[in-house]
Amino acid sequence: MEMLNVKDLTIKFGGLVAVDHLNFNVKKGEIVSLIGPNGAGKTTVFNLLTGLYTPTEGSIVFEGKELSGMRSQDIVKLGIARTFQNIRVYTKLRVVENIMVGSHIHTDYNMLDAIFRTKRFYQQEKEKYEAAMAFLESMHFAEKADMYAGSLPYADMRRLEILRAMASNAKLLLLDEPAAGMNPQESEELVQFISKIAREDGYTILLIEHDMNVVMNVADRIYVLDYGKLIADGLPAEIKTNPKVIRAYLGGNQ
Amino acid sequence: MKNKKQVNRLNKFETFVSKNKVLLVLLGLAVLIIAPFVVPNDYFMRVLCVILMYCTFGFGLNILLGEMGLMSLGQAGFVGAGAFTTAVLLTTLKWNFIPATLCGALVAAILGLIIGLPTLRLHGSYLAIVTIGFGEIMRTIFLNWTSVTGGPRGIKSIPRPSLFGLEFNYANKGFYFLIVLTTILVGLFCAALHKSKYGRAFATIKQDELAATLMGIETTRYKVIGFMLSAAISGLMGGYYAMMQRYIDSNSFISDMSVMIVSCLVIGGAGTLRGPVLGAILLVSFPEIFRDLQDYRFVFYGLIMIIMMVVRPAGLLGWDSTLPYQLPRSLSERRMKSLKKVQEKGDTD
Ligand SMILES: Nc1ncnc2c1ncn2[C@@H]1O[C@H](COP(=O)(O)OP(=O)(O)OP(=O)(O)O)[C@@H](O)[C@H]1O
Ligand SMILES: [Mg+2]
């Protein structure tokens, strides 16, 4: 069964149909890539999935629950977390604090606990801190735990953003151009990283990416969007040779 | 790195402070305890009290401006609400000062909710303008709601606080120590809040509200909480302000007060508690030292603010800590061990 099932998803901004009757699905444990030329509507799809926009039409079903119309915060709690095309880590918080922000929704104490420093407060803070450190450790990021996120090298900031999303206990990660601005070696490491978290740690991944090397190396399946419409879908090898896709990317119209 | 030297120096300083924390706290307490005995007269005693009050007002605004990056130029409205509520309860209803000031805080908190809800989508200068409007509305209410606030005549003969027949006044230094105690409690409250998931949530709102929403953080709830707490703290100290002045009217809570509170934070450093403390000390004592320049007070504030914005926007004492992430204070090694023991005990039971 599919983890995520999108049917006839449509959103209009005035006259512009940014996403047009889009159908796609993601199965548990898969790495699915969403590609398409600039302005194709990829980020808009993420904004719809995360509740930032309400669809004009269509449905989004995640693990049997309808998401359209739900608030972003409730969608996160169901297990969908995302990263952004422009990095949005908390630059003025430390790395470990960024991770603890990721687990904020599972930090269970109230204001009185915080003010009177109750046992529950200490237990929760300790638990979340230690979980964050153990998580960073397992991701080979622990030595940077005390650095401010803003002082990390660019590629690490991108990686931290993914880690923060993972820390929310998400099952489905939506990654918006994680390789943007990376050099070939860094994107190679990213490919390794994404494969690892999907194959070994069991995350399901929906990936927007312009870097075809990354997409072809990491994706199980690919959907191609152009002007909000799905123009092709299939295995990486099929997409590579699909004439419609090549035309869309080259911008020809014959 | 260009300012590596500075970072090193800061690191040394911070390490020193954190190693000698207990000693420095004791030193601070000693200063607070000795101060009222060395000031020559009641006038200086009053200055000390005003400094402490502005520390608290600063702590209150810090929750909005420092923690969440929300500018409020209407804090005097909250202070006034607390002051008038307390004054009415003390004079006409003869309440004790403790429930009276708490009610003052409560009324201010409700106002914080009322101003907080409609302004949730506002940031920066838009929010600043709305809060200026709020301050003005409050002042107009204080001036015109004659049956409660006394209108232009204000409220006179507000009693000093007293408990079991003992009055807290300047002569027995009781009033001063009451304010010291309240300020310390408010400071501890703010520090505890900062070092918890609340502080982290506030920080995410300040830095990137959209990203916070998409991490599942109920940003709206936290902003409303922030507005209410900021207002409650201002209102609480507003009650003490009324008991110190013994006479209040609508002119006690004009925008000058709001501007002064903002200035304390900007000069000292928003986002810290040490910032408003230094800001209050400097800004309250300055006009007392330079009495002749009293009329030009706000010209100086303006100048200082401009200079600060250009030279040191983080404030005199505002900096990013160079120390590693610290768990909430008492979650130290020993505490961790004892917690582990508790857990193990729980596991074997
Ligand atoms: N809130 C909005 N209001 C109006 N138009 C919008 C809005 N959001 C997106 N669009 C439009 O929808 C179209 C798709 O934008 P989107 O950002 O989804 O593209 P994209 O595929 O992510 O492109 P890129 O590869 O450049 O990131 C664009 O024409 C964009 O201008
Ligand atoms: Mg995009």
Side-chain angles (χ1 to χ4, degrees), chain A residues 18-19 33 47-48 64 76 81 86 107 112 115 119 126 128 151 166 168-169 183 192 211 217-218 226:
Chain A
V19 177
S33 188
N47 290 343
L48 286 161
V76 180
N86 310 307
T107 312
L112 292 179
I115 300 309
K119 212 159 96 191
K126 172 174 172 268
K128 293 301 175 295
S151 64
M166 292 163 73
S168 71
N169 280 0
N183 65 35
Q192 304 289 336
D211 185 333
N217 277 324
V218 84
D226 193 20

Side-chain angles (χ1 to χ4, degrees), chain A residues 105-116:
Chain A
I105 51 175
H106 307 290
T107 312
D108 180 29
Y109 59 80
N110 60 33
M111 196 188 293
L112 292 179
D113 289 318
I115 300 309
F116 294 107

Side-chain angles (χ1 to χ4, degrees), chain B residues 202-261:
Chain B
F202 290 159
T204 64
I205 290 169
K206 180 178 188 173
Q207 293 180 40
D208 191 335
E209 200 177 332
L210 179 75
T213 308
L214 290 171
M215 292 315 307
I217 296 173
E218 302 286 346
T219 49
T220 307
R221 211 183 112 233
Y222 283 101
K223 280 165 102 173
V224 171
I225 289 175
F227 258 105
M228 291 180 72
L229 290 178
S230 176
I233 291 170
S234 310
L236 179 73
M237 203 34 102
Y240 287 98
Y241 182 82
M243 294 186 285
M244 180 183 71
Q245 299 291 65
R246 319 202 62 180
Y247 165 78
I248 54 170
D249 65 10
S250 62
N251 286 325
S252 315
F253 309 103
I254 50 177
S255 61
D256 289 16
M257 182 185 247
S258 300
V259 171
M260 173 113 160
I261 297 172

